[in-house]
Amino acid sequence: LPPLPSASDPAGGDAVGEECRGHGPEEARDLNTYALPTKHLTAHLPKNPYCEACVRANVVRVSRRASRFRARGHVGHITRTKFGDLVTADHLVSTADDSQGWEGERVGFVTLDGATRWHDCAPSANRTQAEVVRALSEFAGPRARVETFRSDNARELLAAAKELGWGHESSTPRVSDTNAVVERAVRAVVEGARALLAQAHLPLATWPYAVKYFCFALNIRILDGDSAWNRRFQKGHFRGLAIPFGAQV
């Protein structure tokens, strides 16, 4: 794999357009160029067959049309217009001995806001109520109000929602319309973190840092002219440096 650029590397994200569609010979040069700039290295989205980290991590191509449909509107009877109208959460679990984080992390609480598409993943060593409360509190922040919280009825999620005063609406088991959104978010976080680790040549034990970074990269990513950062804070897009995970600073 090519080395990551340093923070001072001016490798631009404007080498090609936002989508980089197609895999034919005519697009190969642009895709190969797009695989290297900082813009792609932050989140490895969209999947690029000329980026070795994308290929090794098996990053899934996401339908832009579907993501636009899910970004705003209705889920059942819930209308989502602002941050906190509908929040969903689920777990990712690291079971292999060699995938334990440096501080004993084996679980990640993936949380997603329906209106803004704001993502977060909070690594933890266990699935206790206290850890879920911490994860959800970090997600929402001190000022945001969560109107409706949706989960798969895991005991610790139910208890945490009750402690925080969030109205809980259960997902329906085995019904894709109610479970698929957060399940896709969990999958995206896992595959995105895997790509970041492959690109940075860092050990698997650093996955807790990779999932946090990937969620932040999703939140500042500009897609169709807007970003989760702007939708949540209503103050424009993120203006700081986008430094690839594992880069020298």
Side-chain angles (χ1 to χ4, degrees):
L1 290 176
L4 284 173
S6 67
S8 60
D9 190 338
D14 299 325
V16 295
E18 179 71 28
E19 294 195 49
C20 295
R21 296 191 184 96
H23 294 248
E26 295 181 359
E27 291 84 8
R29 182 176 61 185
D30 282 344
L31 282 167
N32 192 34
T33 301
Y34 187 73
L36 299 180
T38 301
K39 183 178 181 180
H40 180 73
L41 295 179
T42 53
H44 290 276
L45 292 172
K47 178 181 179 179
N48 188 332
Y50 294 89
C51 171
E52 189 173 347
C54 283
V55 174
R56 288 171 59 186
N58 193 30
V59 175
V60 172
R61 294 176 65 87
V62 178
S63 167
R64 291 166 59 85
R65 182 178 180 183
S67 64
R68 283 197 299 268
F69 177 78
R70 294 191 300 269
R72 297 292 181 93
H74 301 265
V75 174
H77 65 280
I78 301 172
T79 300
R80 300 169 292 166
T81 58
K82 66 181 185 305
F83 182 86
D85 283 346
L86 174 62
V87 171
T88 58
D90 203 352
H91 304 92
L92 62 86
V93 181
S94 176
T95 57
D97 290 338
D98 61 350
S99 61
Q100 179 176 322
W102 278 343
E103 297 183 7
E105 299 94 341
R106 290 187 176 275
V107 182
F109 301 105
V110 178
T111 314
L112 172 68
D113 177 67
T116 64
R117 307 298 295 173
W118 185 271
H119 291 70
D120 192 26
C121 181
S124 176
N126 54 63
R127 295 171 55 170
T128 63
Q129 177 182 338
E131 286 298 297
V132 178
V133 168
R134 176 187 63 81
L136 297 181
S137 298
E138 289 179 359
F139 174 84
R143 297 182 180 85
R145 175 179 174 80
V146 174
E147 300 292 343
T148 303
F149 177 66
R150 178 174 289 172
S151 76
D152 61 357
N153 293 331
R155 183 181 303 175
E156 63 275 12
L157 292 173
L158 290 171
K162 182 176 181 180
E163 181 175 335
L164 292 170
W166 294 5
H168 185 271
E169 179 178 282
S170 302
S171 295
T172 304
R174 296 178 295 279
V175 176
S176 60
D177 286 346
T178 57
N179 295 331
V181 173
V182 71
E183 289 174 357
R184 278 191 293 267
V186 171
R187 184 177 180 183
V189 170
V190 170
E191 291 167 351
R194 188 183 296 134
L196 293 174
L197 293 174
Q199 179 67 53
H201 297 284
L202 289 173
L204 192 56
T206 61
W207 71 261
Y209 302 98
V211 294
K212 294 293 287 186
Y213 178 97
F214 180 74
C215 288
F216 184 76
L218 284 182
N219 292 336
I220 66 173
R221 183 176 180 236
I222 300 174
L223 189 63
D224 295 328
D226 206 356
S227 64
W229 182 277
N230 179 58
R231 287 191 293 269
R232 176 169 182 176
F233 300 115
Q234 299 294 309
K235 294 182 179 180
H237 303 306
F238 179 73
R239 298 180 181 179
L241 291 175
I243 302 173
F245 182 73
Q248 281 187 320
V249 293

